[in-house]
Amino acid sequence: MPKADRLFSKLKEMIDEANVVQDPDRLKACALDGKKPKVVVTPGTIDEVSKVVTYASQEHLAIVPRGNGTKMEMGGIPKKMDIVLSTGRLHRITDRDCENLTLSAESGLTLGEVQQGLSKVGKGYFLPLDPPFTDQATLGGIVATNSSGPKRLLYGTARDMMIGAKTVFPNGDIVVSGGKTVKNVSGYDMCKLLIGSYGTLGILCEMTFKLLPLPEKEATLGLSFAALEDADDFVRELRGSQLIPSSIEILNGLAVQKMRGPMSMPPNGNYFVAIGLEGVAESIDRQVSEMSEMGKKHGTLEAVTLDAEKHQVFWVALRDFSSRLTGEYSNVISMKSNFLISKCGEVLASYEKIAQGLGIHCAFISHAGNGILYSHVLPGKNVRSRVESFVELIEKMTAVAVKNEGSLVVESSPLSIKKKVDVWGQSRGDYLVARRLKEQIDPAGILNIGRFVGGI
């Protein structure tokens, strides 16, 4: 019996046949960087996940975990890919305790489904995360990649929200860490260890999060500026003030142009600063007034305030900006840089200069309160003829990030570019720690091999 058929037969003994797939079209849809799995399996319980992983460990089969696929472009080229393990049937809320502000849910549930359900409980609650593709992204994928959005300025990331997990480790063991108590850690915090591990240490099956009541009001203040220096000076003063925005974003002209479709924004200026606010109505009104006056001191050209539906439309469009570009252009290159918060303006200016020098069009969106900058390259049709230019762009931008005590990660790109760069950027000292953890927890090397830092 061929290896693929034997694998298919064995998995059918563990899981209902309908959820073990060898259909060529489904396998092709789950391919990564030119590699296709032998089989796609969708367990319905944590015990079934454990059985699949145990078998894979015994047979040295490589597993790639997958939710809805919104984060699959992230990471390096897989070294091996035998089984795609889908969490699509792990989609239950196992415990909802809004009075004590906790929620436990399985990893295949989308964040959008969670938010919709929580909003209908009492006066409304929410899980304070707003990563890209919120409506499609699964909880497991968000946590595994530590994905976040503009509101991380106020609320933090999954690392701040997750307090417990049930995980299947590479030997098949089901490991429970943390729980419903906010402070219950003694010794190593395995729960935090799994956040941002890209499925290389274990398969997240169930997680417990902290919740918050929905804010009374949300609004956006948008200010346009002629020069980056003016926008950066305004943001610096805002960061040093007593005001508490939920997000601060700086968009360059091309990003503003691509954002204009979903809403009307001020046409003037080369840079647009968007400030998200939420809380009680009186506080928001006061902050909008104070920030508007602050903006005038720094030469703002025009200001706009968005409430209710327009506020939501703007932030969804900004949050999902990369998917908007992907729908309009092929071969978009998306990068995420981090660096000292105080260097936001300087790094953005350096990136613009590098891109202009190479004749490359880039849309830049900076989480200016967090020291994070997203760079979206619009390569056009002749990608193959300009591969070396794009590689040079990535290398030069990486050098700038490192110089400012940060790093650069290529989140998505054509395979031709992925083969020529390290998508995780310049290796740091903590890479050795990650490798040792991988060797200890997954000595057989079956989980997401080659996808994480340093080809782990």
Side-chain angles (χ1 to χ4, degrees):
M1 183 183 295
K3 290 183 179 180
D5 291 338
R6 186 170 70 248
L7 172 60
F8 184 70
S9 178
K10 283 288 186 181
L11 291 174
K12 285 194 300 182
E13 294 174 9
M14 306 172 201
I15 298 173
D16 179 60
E17 182 175 349
N19 296 298
V20 183
V21 178
Q22 276 188 313
D23 176 67
D25 291 336
R26 179 73 187 278
L27 298 184
K28 185 178 179 180
C30 291
L32 282 174
D33 298 323
K35 288 185 169 65
K36 285 196 304 183
K38 294 181 176 70
V39 64
V40 176
V41 58
T42 309
T45 66
I46 298 177
D47 285 338
E48 288 185 347
V49 174
S50 174
K51 290 177 183 178
V52 173
V53 174
T54 299
Y55 175 71
S57 179
Q58 292 168 349
E59 299 295 321
H60 299 283
L61 299 169
I63 295 177
V64 174
R66 181 186 176 97
N68 275 345
T70 62
K71 312 285 190 297
M72 296 305 288
E73 288 190 341
M74 297 180 182
I77 300 170
K79 293 179 180 177
K80 190 180 177 186
M81 190 175 178
D82 296 311
I83 301 170
V84 164
L85 191 151
S86 169
T87 61
R89 293 173 63 215
L90 300 175
H91 58 267
R92 293 169 284 268
I93 291 177
T94 55
D95 184 79
R96 186 174 65 189
D97 187 355
C98 291
E99 289 187 3
N100 291 303
L101 299 177
T102 63
L103 174 85
S104 297
E106 292 181 330
S107 58
L109 199 64
T110 67
L111 179 56
E113 291 172 309
V114 170
Q115 304 291 39
Q116 185 177 11
L118 290 172
S119 68
K120 298 174 182 178
V121 179
K123 293 184 178 180
Y125 298 85
F126 75 118
L127 174 53
L129 294 172
D130 63 333
F133 321 112
T134 287
D135 291 338
Q136 291 85 34
T138 61
L139 296 177
I142 292 167
V143 171
T145 58
N146 198 23
S147 183
S148 62
K151 290 186 181 182
R152 67 178 289 167
L153 175 63
L154 181 62
Y155 298 113
T157 66
R159 192 172 296 279
D160 304 287
M161 294 297 112
M162 193 168 104
I163 56 177
K166 286 183 181 178
T167 309
V168 174
F169 271 40
N171 63 356
D173 287 350
I174 299 172
V175 177
V176 180
S177 53
K180 288 181 64 176
T181 306
V182 174
K183 292 184 179 181
N184 63 354
V185 176
S186 177
Y188 292 112
D189 190 346
M190 292 299 295
C191 182
K192 295 294 190 289
L193 183 65
L194 295 163
I195 300 171
S197 64
Y198 281 74
T200 58
L201 300 179
I203 298 177
L204 289 157
C205 295
E206 182 182 315
M207 291 147 289
T208 300
F209 299 94
K210 294 183 286 187
L211 304 178
L212 288 175
L214 283 170
E216 179 182 310
K217 181 180 178 181
E218 295 180 85
T220 301
L221 174 64
L223 305 170
S224 58
F225 295 87
L228 175 58
E229 184 179 1
D230 295 334
D232 187 47
D233 286 344
F234 165 73
V235 169
R236 284 177 182 270
E237 183 176 352
L238 177 57
R239 285 198 306 256
S241 72
Q242 298 298 311
L243 301 172
I244 310 175
S246 59
S247 46
I248 307 172
E249 307 292 302
I250 300 178
L251 290 73
N252 77 331
L254 184 56
V256 171
Q257 179 186 333
K258 297 304 174 184
M259 278 283 292
R260 188 160 287 162
M263 60 155 289
S264 175
M265 288 194 295
N268 299 323
N270 299 314
Y271 299 91
F272 185 72
V273 178
I275 305 151
L277 297 161
E278 50 192 82
V280 297
E282 293 82 356
S283 172
I284 289 178
D285 294 340
R286 177 181 58 80
Q287 290 189 76
V288 166
S289 176
E290 291 186 23
M291 290 179 190
S292 298
E293 291 301 313
M294 190 185 297
K296 290 177 182 178
K297 292 192 301 179
H298 294 283
T300 184
L301 300 175
E302 192 170 351
V304 60
T305 303
L306 308 175
D307 292 317
E309 184 178 348
K310 287 185 176 181
H311 163 86
Q312 295 295 338
V313 168
F314 172 79
W315 289 104
V316 168
L318 183 66
R319 184 192 70 201
D320 296 344
F321 186 78
S322 61
S323 66
R324 181 178 179 80
L325 287 184
T326 302
E328 189 174 349
Y329 301 91
S330 60
N331 299 315
V332 172
I333 304 167
S334 294
M335 298 169 283
K336 177 183 177 182
S337 307
N338 65 79
F339 36 78
L340 295 171
I341 296 175
S342 60
K343 300 295 184 179
C344 281
E346 293 177 34
V347 172
L348 177 51
S350 296
Y351 278 19
E352 286 190 318
K353 185 176 180 179
I354 292 168
Q356 289 167 4
L358 292 170
I360 295 172
H361 299 292
C362 289
F364 294 107
I365 300 178
S366 172
H367 290 353
N370 299 306
I372 293 173
L373 175 60
Y374 286 92
S375 307
H376 302 281
V377 180
L378 311 182
K381 296 180 180 179
N382 300 318
V383 175
R384 291 183 180 179
S385 64
R386 302 200 65 194
V387 166
E388 296 304 323
S389 294
F390 297 132
V391 170
E392 184 180 353
L393 175 84
I394 293 168
E395 290 174 345
K396 287 184 174 181
M397 286 183 170
T398 298
V400 171
V402 171
K403 179 183 176 181
N404 290 281
E405 300 185 32
S407 63
L408 179 146
V409 173
V410 179
E411 293 200 329
S412 66
S413 78
L415 183 58
S416 58
I417 294 170
K418 220 173 190 181
K419 288 179 177 179
K420 290 180 173 289
V421 301
D422 184 343
V423 298
W424 293 103
Q426 187 170 312
S427 295
R428 305 184 306 185
D430 50 5
Y431 155 70
L432 295 175
V433 176
R435 177 165 287 282
R436 290 189 188 118
L437 284 169
K438 177 67 171 176
E439 290 170 350
Q440 290 291 318
I441 296 174
D442 185 15
I446 68 164
L447 287 183
N448 241 5
I449 299 301
R451 304 267 290 144
F452 199 31
V453 178
I456 294 175

PDB file of all heavy atoms in Angstrom, residues 114-139:
ATOM      1  N   VAL A 114     -16.949  35.241  18.161  1.00  0.00           N
ATOM      2  CA  VAL A 114     -16.874  35.500  19.598  1.00  0.00           C
ATOM      3  C   VAL A 114     -17.384  36.898  19.920  1.00  0.00           C
ATOM      4  O   VAL A 114     -18.197  37.095  20.831  1.00  0.00           O
ATOM      5  CB  VAL A 114     -15.419  35.329  20.095  1.00  0.00           C
ATOM      6  CG1 VAL A 114     -15.284  35.827  21.533  1.00  0.00           C
ATOM      7  CG2 VAL A 114     -14.999  33.871  20.006  1.00  0.00           C
ATOM      8  N   GLN A 115     -16.904  37.892  19.174  1.00  0.00           N
ATOM      9  CA  GLN A 115     -17.299  39.274  19.443  1.00  0.00           C
ATOM     10  C   GLN A 115     -18.800  39.473  19.249  1.00  0.00           C
ATOM     11  O   GLN A 115     -19.454  40.178  20.032  1.00  0.00           O
ATOM     12  CB  GLN A 115     -16.530  40.239  18.530  1.00  0.00           C
ATOM     13  CG  GLN A 115     -15.013  40.142  18.586  1.00  0.00           C
ATOM     14  CD  GLN A 115     -14.399  40.625  19.889  1.00  0.00           C
ATOM     15  OE1 GLN A 115     -14.937  40.395  20.975  1.00  0.00           O
ATOM     16  NE2 GLN A 115     -13.253  41.276  19.794  1.00  0.00           N
ATOM     17  N   GLN A 116     -19.332  38.863  18.215  1.00  0.00           N
ATOM     18  CA  GLN A 116     -20.767  39.003  17.947  1.00  0.00           C
ATOM     19  C   GLN A 116     -21.597  38.420  19.093  1.00  0.00           C
ATOM     20  O   GLN A 116     -22.586  39.033  19.534  1.00  0.00           O
ATOM     21  CB  GLN A 116     -21.116  38.314  16.629  1.00  0.00           C
ATOM     22  CG  GLN A 116     -22.571  38.518  16.215  1.00  0.00           C
ATOM     23  CD  GLN A 116     -22.867  37.887  14.856  1.00  0.00           C
ATOM     24  OE1 GLN A 116     -22.056  37.136  14.330  1.00  0.00           O
ATOM     25  NE2 GLN A 116     -24.026  38.184  14.303  1.00  0.00           N
ATOM     26  N   GLY A 117     -21.206  37.258  19.587  1.00  0.00           N
ATOM     27  CA  GLY A 117     -21.937  36.647  20.689  1.00  0.00           C
ATOM     28  C   GLY A 117     -21.825  37.452  21.975  1.00  0.00           C
ATOM     29  O   GLY A 117     -22.815  37.639  22.690  1.00  0.00           O
ATOM     30  N   LEU A 118     -20.620  37.929  22.284  1.00  0.00           N
ATOM     31  CA  LEU A 118     -20.411  38.686  23.519  1.00  0.00           C
ATOM     32  C   LEU A 118     -21.165  40.013  23.519  1.00  0.00           C
ATOM     33  O   LEU A 118     -21.616  40.482  24.569  1.00  0.00           O
ATOM     34  CB  LEU A 118     -18.916  38.948  23.724  1.00  0.00           C
ATOM     35  CG  LEU A 118     -18.049  37.742  24.082  1.00  0.00           C
ATOM     36  CD1 LEU A 118     -16.579  38.125  24.049  1.00  0.00           C
ATOM     37  CD2 LEU A 118     -18.417  37.196  25.461  1.00  0.00           C
ATOM     38  N   SER A 119     -21.305  40.609  22.354  1.00  0.00           N
ATOM     39  CA  SER A 119     -21.970  41.918  22.282  1.00  0.00           C
ATOM     40  C   SER A 119     -23.441  41.849  22.667  1.00  0.00           C
ATOM     41  O   SER A 119     -24.053  42.870  23.016  1.00  0.00           O
ATOM     42  CB  SER A 119     -21.844  42.494  20.868  1.00  0.00           C
ATOM     43  OG  SER A 119     -22.595  41.726  19.935  1.00  0.00           O
ATOM     44  N   LYS A 120     -24.017  40.635  22.629  1.00  0.00           N
ATOM     45  CA  LYS A 120     -25.445  40.466  22.920  1.00  0.00           C
ATOM     46  C   LYS A 120     -25.708  40.078  24.374  1.00  0.00           C
ATOM     47  O   LYS A 120     -26.865  39.920  24.777  1.00  0.00           O
ATOM     48  CB  LYS A 120     -26.040  39.414  21.992  1.00  0.00           C
ATOM     49  CG  LYS A 120     -25.955  39.781  20.517  1.00  0.00           C
ATOM     50  CD  LYS A 120     -26.426  38.641  19.631  1.00  0.00           C
ATOM     51  CE  LYS A 120     -26.301  38.996  18.156  1.00  0.00           C
ATOM     52  NZ  LYS A 120     -26.707  37.881  17.266  1.00  0.00           N
ATOM     53  N   VAL A 121     -24.654  39.910  25.162  1.00  0.00           N
ATOM     54  CA  VAL A 121     -24.812  39.517  26.564  1.00  0.00           C
ATOM     55  C   VAL A 121     -24.917  40.776  27.430  1.00  0.00           C
ATOM     56  O   VAL A 121     -23.991  41.592  27.474  1.00  0.00           O
ATOM     57  CB  VAL A 121     -23.627  38.655  27.040  1.00  0.00           C
ATOM     58  CG1 VAL A 121     -23.800  38.283  28.505  1.00  0.00           C
ATOM     59  CG2 VAL A 121     -23.483  37.410  26.179  1.00  0.00           C
ATOM     60  N   GLY A 122     -26.050  40.917  28.124  1.00  0.00           N
ATOM     61  CA  GLY A 122     -26.228  42.085  28.989  1.00  0.00           C
ATOM     62  C   GLY A 122     -26.053  43.372  28.206  1.00  0.00           C
ATOM     63  O   GLY A 122     -26.620  43.572  27.133  1.00  0.00           O
ATOM     64  N   LYS A 123     -25.236  44.287  28.736  1.00  0.00           N
ATOM     65  CA  LYS A 123     -24.948  45.545  28.046  1.00  0.00           C
ATOM     66  C   LYS A 123     -23.820  45.397  27.032  1.00  0.00           C
ATOM     67  O   LYS A 123     -23.451  46.356  26.362  1.00  0.00           O
ATOM     68  CB  LYS A 123     -24.596  46.629  29.073  1.00  0.00           C
ATOM     69  CG  LYS A 123     -25.759  47.023  29.968  1.00  0.00           C
ATOM     70  CD  LYS A 123     -25.379  48.167  30.888  1.00  0.00           C
ATOM     71  CE  LYS A 123     -26.568  48.602  31.745  1.00  0.00           C
ATOM     72  NZ  LYS A 123     -26.208  49.725  32.639  1.00  0.00           N
ATOM     73  N   GLY A 124     -23.290  44.196  26.939  1.00  0.00           N
ATOM     74  CA  GLY A 124     -22.278  43.937  25.923  1.00  0.00           C
ATOM     75  C   GLY A 124     -20.875  43.807  26.481  1.00  0.00           C
ATOM     76  O   GLY A 124     -20.468  44.572  27.367  1.00  0.00           O
ATOM     77  N   TYR A 125     -20.143  42.815  25.967  1.00  0.00           N
ATOM     78  CA  TYR A 125     -18.744  42.592  26.352  1.00  0.00           C
ATOM     79  C   TYR A 125     -17.940  42.356  25.078  1.00  0.00           C
ATOM     80  O   TYR A 125     -18.502  42.169  23.997  1.00  0.00           O
ATOM     81  CB  TYR A 125     -18.623  41.375  27.277  1.00  0.00           C
ATOM     82  CG  TYR A 125     -19.360  41.526  28.582  1.00  0.00           C
ATOM     83  CD1 TYR A 125     -20.720  41.222  28.681  1.00  0.00           C
ATOM     84  CD2 TYR A 125     -18.709  42.000  29.724  1.00  0.00           C
ATOM     85  CE1 TYR A 125     -21.407  41.372  29.874  1.00  0.00           C
ATOM     86  CE2 TYR A 125     -19.385  42.151  30.922  1.00  0.00           C
ATOM     87  CZ  TYR A 125     -20.734  41.841  30.992  1.00  0.00           C
ATOM     88  OH  TYR A 125     -21.406  42.003  32.182  1.00  0.00           O
ATOM     89  N   PHE A 126     -16.613  42.345  25.211  1.00  0.00           N
ATOM     90  CA  PHE A 126     -15.775  42.029  24.059  1.00  0.00           C
ATOM     91  C   PHE A 126     -14.416  41.537  24.511  1.00  0.00           C
ATOM     92  O   PHE A 126     -13.978  41.782  25.637  1.00  0.00           O
ATOM     93  CB  PHE A 126     -15.630  43.243  23.136  1.00  0.00           C
ATOM     94  CG  PHE A 126     -14.714  44.336  23.634  1.00  0.00           C
ATOM     95  CD1 PHE A 126     -13.572  44.692  22.923  1.00  0.00           C
ATOM     96  CD2 PHE A 126     -14.996  45.046  24.803  1.00  0.00           C
ATOM     97  CE1 PHE A 126     -12.732  45.701  23.357  1.00  0.00           C
ATOM     98  CE2 PHE A 126     -14.172  46.060  25.241  1.00  0.00           C
ATOM     99  CZ  PHE A 126     -13.024  46.389  24.517  1.00  0.00           C
ATOM    100  N   LEU A 127     -13.799  40.792  23.613  1.00  0.00           N
ATOM    101  CA  LEU A 127     -12.417  40.351  23.805  1.00  0.00           C
ATOM    102  C   LEU A 127     -11.545  41.409  23.151  1.00  0.00           C
ATOM    103  O   LEU A 127     -11.605  41.608  21.934  1.00  0.00           O
ATOM    104  CB  LEU A 127     -12.217  38.987  23.143  1.00  0.00           C
ATOM    105  CG  LEU A 127     -10.814  38.386  23.092  1.00  0.00           C
ATOM    106  CD1 LEU A 127     -10.174  38.342  24.467  1.00  0.00           C
ATOM    107  CD2 LEU A 127     -10.866  37.005  22.476  1.00  0.00           C
ATOM    108  N   PRO A 128     -10.757  42.156  23.917  1.00  0.00           N
ATOM    109  CA  PRO A 128     -10.054  43.333  23.383  1.00  0.00           C
ATOM    110  C   PRO A 128      -8.855  42.994  22.501  1.00  0.00           C
ATOM    111  O   PRO A 128      -7.712  43.278  22.827  1.00  0.00           O
ATOM    112  CB  PRO A 128      -9.635  44.098  24.639  1.00  0.00           C
ATOM    113  CG  PRO A 128      -9.590  43.095  25.719  1.00  0.00           C
ATOM    114  CD  PRO A 128     -10.602  42.046  25.385  1.00  0.00           C
ATOM    115  N   LEU A 129      -9.148  42.372  21.363  1.00  0.00           N
ATOM    116  CA  LEU A 129      -8.161  42.102  20.327  1.00  0.00           C
ATOM    117  C   LEU A 129      -8.766  42.539  18.994  1.00  0.00           C
ATOM    118  O   LEU A 129      -9.961  42.351  18.763  1.00  0.00           O
ATOM    119  CB  LEU A 129      -7.819  40.612  20.262  1.00  0.00           C
ATOM    120  CG  LEU A 129      -7.095  40.000  21.460  1.00  0.00           C
ATOM    121  CD1 LEU A 129      -7.021  38.489  21.315  1.00  0.00           C
ATOM    122  CD2 LEU A 129      -5.694  40.583  21.615  1.00  0.00           C
ATOM    123  N   ASP A 130      -7.951  43.117  18.123  1.00  0.00           N
ATOM    124  CA  ASP A 130      -8.454  43.541  16.808  1.00  0.00           C
ATOM    125  C   ASP A 130      -7.414  43.257  15.716  1.00  0.00           C
ATOM    126  O   ASP A 130      -6.986  44.154  15.000  1.00  0.00           O
ATOM    127  CB  ASP A 130      -8.833  45.019  16.809  1.00  0.00           C
ATOM    128  CG  ASP A 130      -7.641  45.938  17.073  1.00  0.00           C
ATOM    129  OD1 ASP A 130      -6.683  45.497  17.733  1.00  0.00           O
ATOM    130  OD2 ASP A 130      -7.659  47.089  16.599  1.00  0.00           O
ATOM    131  N   PRO A 131      -6.996  41.992  15.578  1.00  0.00           N
ATOM    132  CA  PRO A 131      -5.995  41.651  14.569  1.00  0.00           C
ATOM    133  C   PRO A 131      -6.576  41.746  13.165  1.00  0.00           C
ATOM    134  O   PRO A 131      -7.794  41.840  12.983  1.00  0.00           O
ATOM    135  CB  PRO A 131      -5.650  40.206  14.917  1.00  0.00           C
ATOM    136  CG  PRO A 131      -6.932  39.666  15.461  1.00  0.00           C
ATOM    137  CD  PRO A 131      -7.526  40.796  16.249  1.00  0.00           C
ATOM    138  N   PRO A 132      -5.714  41.713  12.139  1.00  0.00           N
ATOM    139  CA  PRO A 132      -6.228  41.658  10.767  1.00  0.00           C
ATOM    140  C   PRO A 132      -7.148  40.454  10.569  1.00  0.00           C
ATOM    141  O   PRO A 132      -6.983  39.418  11.209  1.00  0.00           O
ATOM    142  CB  PRO A 132      -4.954  41.515   9.928  1.00  0.00           C
ATOM    143  CG  PRO A 132      -3.871  42.103  10.774  1.00  0.00           C
ATOM    144  CD  PRO A 132      -4.253  41.781  12.189  1.00  0.00           C
ATOM    145  N   PHE A 133      -8.122  40.621   9.692  1.00  0.00           N
ATOM    146  CA  PHE A 133      -9.053  39.549   9.313  1.00  0.00           C
ATOM    147  C   PHE A 133      -9.835  39.032  10.521  1.00  0.00           C
ATOM    148  O   PHE A 133     -10.073  37.829  10.653  1.00  0.00           O
ATOM    149  CB  PHE A 133      -8.305  38.374   8.654  1.00  0.00           C
ATOM    150  CG  PHE A 133      -7.192  38.791   7.736  1.00  0.00           C
ATOM    151  CD1 PHE A 133      -5.871  38.542   8.050  1.00  0.00           C
ATOM    152  CD2 PHE A 133      -7.472  39.458   6.560  1.00  0.00           C
ATOM    153  CE1 PHE A 133      -4.845  38.934   7.208  1.00  0.00           C
ATOM    154  CE2 PHE A 133      -6.453  39.858   5.700  1.00  0.00           C
ATOM    155  CZ  PHE A 133      -5.134  39.590   6.034  1.00  0.00           C
ATOM    156  N   THR A 134     -10.262  39.936  11.394  1.00  0.00           N
ATOM    157  CA  THR A 134     -10.979  39.538  12.606  1.00  0.00           C
ATOM    158  C   THR A 134     -12.173  38.628  12.301  1.00  0.00           C
ATOM    159  O   THR A 134     -12.443  37.687  13.046  1.00  0.00           O
ATOM    160  CB  THR A 134     -11.455  40.784  13.370  1.00  0.00           C
ATOM    161  OG1 THR A 134     -10.315  41.409  13.977  1.00  0.00           O
ATOM    162  CG2 THR A 134     -12.441  40.425  14.471  1.00  0.00           C
ATOM    163  N   ASP A 135     -12.879  38.902  11.221  1.00  0.00           N
ATOM    164  CA  ASP A 135     -14.081  38.115  10.922  1.00  0.00           C
ATOM    165  C   ASP A 135     -13.752  36.681  10.526  1.00  0.00           C
ATOM    166  O   ASP A 135     -14.550  35.776  10.760  1.00  0.00           O
ATOM    167  CB  ASP A 135     -14.885  38.778   9.798  1.00  0.00           C
ATOM    168  CG  ASP A 135     -15.518  40.078  10.248  1.00  0.00           C
ATOM    169  OD1 ASP A 135     -15.691  40.248  11.474  1.00  0.00           O
ATOM    170  OD2 ASP A 135     -15.826  40.924   9.390  1.00  0.00           O
ATOM    171  N   GLN A 136     -12.562  36.460   9.928  1.00  0.00           N
ATOM    172  CA  GLN A 136     -12.200  35.115   9.471  1.00  0.00           C
ATOM    173  C   GLN A 136     -11.155  34.438  10.358  1.00  0.00           C
ATOM    174  O   GLN A 136     -11.082  33.209  10.411  1.00  0.00           O
ATOM    175  CB  GLN A 136     -11.648  35.166   8.044  1.00  0.00           C
ATOM    176  CG  GLN A 136     -12.663  35.522   6.980  1.00  0.00           C
ATOM    177  CD  GLN A 136     -12.844  37.020   6.825  1.00  0.00           C
ATOM    178  OE1 GLN A 136     -11.891  37.771   6.991  1.00  0.00           O
ATOM    179  NE2 GLN A 136     -14.052  37.452   6.521  1.00  0.00           N
ATOM    180  N   ALA A 137     -10.323  35.212  11.031  1.00  0.00           N
ATOM    181  CA  ALA A 137      -9.204  34.643  11.791  1.00  0.00           C
ATOM    182  C   ALA A 137      -9.708  33.845  12.987  1.00  0.00           C
ATOM    183  O   ALA A 137     -10.586  34.291  13.731  1.00  0.00           O
ATOM    184  CB  ALA A 137      -8.269  35.747  12.262  1.00  0.00           C
ATOM    185  N   THR A 138      -9.136  32.652  13.182  1.00  0.00           N
ATOM    186  CA  THR A 138      -9.515  31.825  14.326  1.00  0.00           C
ATOM    187  C   THR A 138      -8.721  32.234  15.561  1.00  0.00           C
ATOM    188  O   THR A 138      -7.627  32.812  15.462  1.00  0.00           O
ATOM    189  CB  THR A 138      -9.252  30.343  14.037  1.00  0.00           C
ATOM    190  OG1 THR A 138      -7.850  30.144  13.789  1.00  0.00           O
ATOM    191  CG2 THR A 138     -10.058  29.867  12.841  1.00  0.00           C
ATOM    192  N   LEU A 139      -9.274  31.902  16.720  1.00  0.00           N
ATOM    193  CA  LEU A 139      -8.589  32.220  17.974  1.00  0.00           C
ATOM    194  C   LEU A 139      -7.214  31.553  18.029  1.00  0.00           C
ATOM    195  O   LEU A 139      -6.239  32.149  18.481  1.00  0.00           O
ATOM    196  CB  LEU A 139      -9.435  31.766  19.163  1.00  0.00           C
ATOM    197  CG  LEU A 139     -10.794  32.455  19.337  1.00  0.00           C
ATOM    198  CD1 LEU A 139     -11.543  31.835  20.515  1.00  0.00           C
ATOM    199  CD2 LEU A 139     -10.635  33.950  19.543  1.00  0.00           C
TER     200      LEU A 139
END
